[in-house]
Amino acid sequence: MAGEGVKPIASLLLVLNFCMYAIVAAISGWALNVAIDRGFIVGPSLALPAHFSPVFFPIGNAATGFLVIFALIAGVVGSAAAIAGIQHIRAWDHLSLAPAASSGIVAWALTLLAMGLACKEIVLGGRNVRLRTVEAFLIILSATQLVYILVIHGARRP
């Protein structure tokens, strides 16, 4: 296949993205666990508060619940896309390009959605260091995932 010169660049981006997606998924899983452990408990004698939200998170701000859920989904899908990308790097032919590119595009779209929520959380303020890490990684991943998709698509041209 043409474009053997970009194979090391694609490999580097793939490893970087996989590691960052795994970190995003791990921190988001931690935040979801904190929300489950510290969330509001409704018992037989307790009533829901007036402005109860099922996406309530005791850490962060009003956007944290949505950010954590979408970041967790983006992290898992991005990690799976990286695994498909590893198969494409190994084969490096037109038959393995379609699964790698399509899963990469889906992961990028979910990352953009989570990045938008991260931007909203940044605007609202009041979050801890781990949530700031997720925000930063999502912003970086939105760019590096796009570059990875462009590299593997650009490599197929003669």
Side-chain angles (χ1 to χ4, degrees), residues 58-75:
I59 56 175
N61 53 41
T64 301
F66 297 105
L67 169 71
V68 168
I69 290 170
F70 283 104
L72 187 59
I73 293 170

Side-chain angles (χ1 to χ4, degrees), residues 9-10 12 15 26 47 57-58 62-63 72 85 92 94 98 103-105 110 120 125 130 132 137 142 154 157:
I9 297 170
L12 176 68
V15 169
F57 273 65
L72 187 59
W92 202 253
H94 67 283
S103 61
I105 290 171
L110 288 169
K120 181 63 176 178
R130 290 182 181 142
R132 288 180 185 169
F137 277 20
S142 66
R157 294 191 181 136

Side-chain angles (χ1 to χ4, degrees), residues 59-151:
I59 56 175
N61 53 41
T64 301
F66 297 105
L67 169 71
V68 168
I69 290 170
F70 283 104
L72 187 59
I73 293 170
V76 170
V77 172
S79 296
I83 293 170
I86 290 170
Q87 177 59 30
H88 175 60
I89 296 295
R90 289 178 57 217
W92 202 253
D93 60 0
H94 67 283
L95 296 175
S96 64
L97 177 63
S102 61
S103 61
I105 290 171
V106 169
W108 180 59
L110 288 169
T111 304
L112 286 178
L113 179 63
M115 185 203 66
L117 292 166
C119 292
K120 181 63 176 178
E121 186 168 340
I122 290 169
V123 168
L124 294 175
R127 63 235 189 263
N128 65 17
V129 175
R130 290 182 181 142
L131 293 174
R132 288 180 185 169
T133 303
V134 169
E135 294 162 2
F137 277 20
L138 287 171
I139 292 168
I140 294 167
L141 276 167
S142 66
T144 58
Q145 185 71 14
L146 175 63
V147 171
Y148 167 73
I149 292 168
L150 294 174
V151 165

Side-chain angles (χ1 to χ4, degrees), residues 30-66:
W30 166 83
L32 187 62
N33 186 43
V34 167
I36 291 170
D37 288 345
R38 296 186 200 164
F40 184 79
I41 299 171
V42 178
S45 64
L46 297 175
L48 287 175
H51 301 287
F52 177 73
S53 170
V55 195
F56 170 74
F57 273 65
I59 56 175
N61 53 41
T64 301
F66 297 105

